Amino acid sequence: MESSKDTHDIFGESTDQRALGDNPRVFRLEELAIATNNFSGDNKLGEGGFGPVYKGKLLDGQEIAVKRLSDGSIQGLEEFKNEVLVILKVQHRNLVKLLGCCVQGEEKMLIYEYLPNKSLDAFLFDSTKRELLDWKTRFQIIDGISRGVLYLHRDSRLTVIHRDLKVSNILLDEFFNPKIADFGRARIFGGNEHHANTARVVGTFGYMSPEYLLEGRFSEKSDVFSFGVLLLEVVSGEKITHFHHLELSLSLLGYAWQLWKESKMELFMDPMLLRESACKPDILRCIHVGLLCVQELAKDRPTMSTALSMLTNEITTLPDPEPPAFKERRVTSQSDSFPQGQESASVNNLTITNMEGQSTITPTQFITDSQTLTSSGEIFQLGFFSPVNSTNRYVGIWYNKIPVENIVWLANRDRPLKDSSGTLRIANDGNLVISDGRGTILWTTNVSNFAGRNSSVSALSDTGNLVFRLVDDNSTRGVLWQSFDNPTDTFLPLMKIGGSSLTGTKQELTSWKAESDPSVGIFSAALDLVDNIPQLVVSSNASKRLWQSGAWNSKIFIGMPRVGICIMMDSI
């Protein structure tokens, strides 16, 4: 069979081909195309970093979910192989069931059981659907997740660390029984292995433990941390990446901790649960267990077995929790019980600082989707945003005190983030980068020939210029890259447009493609030589001239003697 040959090609000689043939079925592309109505948009359930997921119906009437690898995704290919090899070795009623795979030509797909209620976040963070999640249902979900994780850690043939536990990776069947999904980042531990290091941290911000996020160290306790975050989200109905207590500048974890200290934990409960007064002790116990799971040091967190016993009252007396990680978005990571490994990308005593009101990004300070960078005079702000009628996320700069977001510069305009997992940070090579929760770099300053990670910083100035420079050189010679040399659709004072015939570089303004799409549109404004004299020219599709400024007379363009200090090009 053709697909069998391709399956061998993709997994290689070392793959247990018998395992692929014993339980999971090898599907043909043709039958999946029929099942999904040729992968119709109407059948699309969603999309993740791996690729789109489609609902399908086989000829025998069985409903399926088809996870299709996006074209050209090397990282997705690795996660595809990893997911198959991991999930073949584990089987539990709280883990999503793999039915089979399809590897045929360029197509690579995983076929799962279809779960009609989709993912937990679709209910938990929807004000209408959340009404269906009474406490009995929520605890059923919490209990099922904890049993699934416990199975991965202790009860299966192998120890499996999931590394990406989050609400969107919890699927729900028709009776709201939870099933853990997405094993593309999972890691199998063998023998006496209890922890590991990695130079490539992958996961979703908000759910990653401090030792994993900052030092690349992961273990069962990393999953326990993620479970604790998830537990607190389920009880509160709040999303970890969107919650921010303005008055106290607290994260969701910090808010739970503050209320626990003040013996006011009922204020942390989802208001929809307050009417279930008989369940209040159980709900408060879950908050307490959640706080124990998100403690800063891995050695202080319970194992999954202990956490489950606490949740089910097998352990009646709970210890007091230590302060959680990231409670004020300012956390110092200290080495705990894990030994330092050579592969680790770790740096001890790193600090994550809340960037609200700050103007600098350093190797130990970065901003996430819910945070912003503000220039020292509070004139400009940088952060993540979505255009009107779009859910894509971009990094942009806007005027801080204008009520409506007025975007004056964009970074990743042609490579948007698909969710709120993005960060703007200094990468290991020293460049300023935007990466998603899976570690994929979507944009970079792409500077070479400098010392690297600990030698660079980035600052937002009161002119609206994002400057990337050497850490010990504040002069113009220390500037490695700046947004003023890379304009998008807006011309600010001191910004440059022009070019060089020697280097071939060109700096021009380009319109947005549409109001909801800031990628490069069809209109541009650039300096051009007209009869050997510089003029500012507005063109369509870089060829048809729509307007020109008149010749430069060494002081002004004669056609625009009173040009303003800022020209903004709108999409037409």
Side-chain angles (χ1 to χ4, degrees), residues 54-70:
Y54 298 90
K55 180 182 178 181
K57 192 170 188 179
L58 299 175
L59 294 179
D60 63 4
Q62 183 180 10
E63 290 185 316
I64 58 174
V66 181
K67 200 172 180 182
R68 191 182 193 188
L69 180 66
S70 296

Side-chain angles (χ1 to χ4, degrees), residues 182-195:
D182 198 344
F183 288 80
R185 301 172 183 175
R187 171 74 179 267
I188 296 174
F189 280 0
N192 294 319
E193 192 177 14
H194 299 295
H195 61 266

Side-chain angles (χ1 to χ4, degrees), residues 302-318:
T303 62
M304 205 64 235
S305 175
T306 301
L308 178 59
S309 295
M310 291 174 174
L311 289 169
T312 56
N313 283 305
E314 290 179 24
I315 297 176
T316 55
T317 303
L318 305 186

Side-chain angles (χ1 to χ4, degrees), residues 176-224:
F176 288 92
N177 293 308
K179 293 178 183 281
I180 300 169
D182 198 344
F183 288 80
R185 301 172 183 175
R187 171 74 179 267
I188 296 174
F189 280 0
N192 294 319
E193 192 177 14
H194 299 295
H195 61 266
N197 299 327
T198 180
R200 179 173 170 265
V201 174
V202 294
T204 303
F205 280 97
Y207 296 92
M208 288 190 284
S209 66
E211 72 274 6
Y212 180 46
L213 176 63
L214 298 176
E215 303 180 12
R217 303 177 183 189
F218 61 93
S219 68
E220 293 178 15
K221 297 295 186 75
S222 308
D223 278 354
V224 169

Side-chain angles (χ1 to χ4, degrees), residues 198-199 261 322 517 540:
T198 180
K261 287 195 302 179
E322 295 296 323
D517 182 1
S540 172

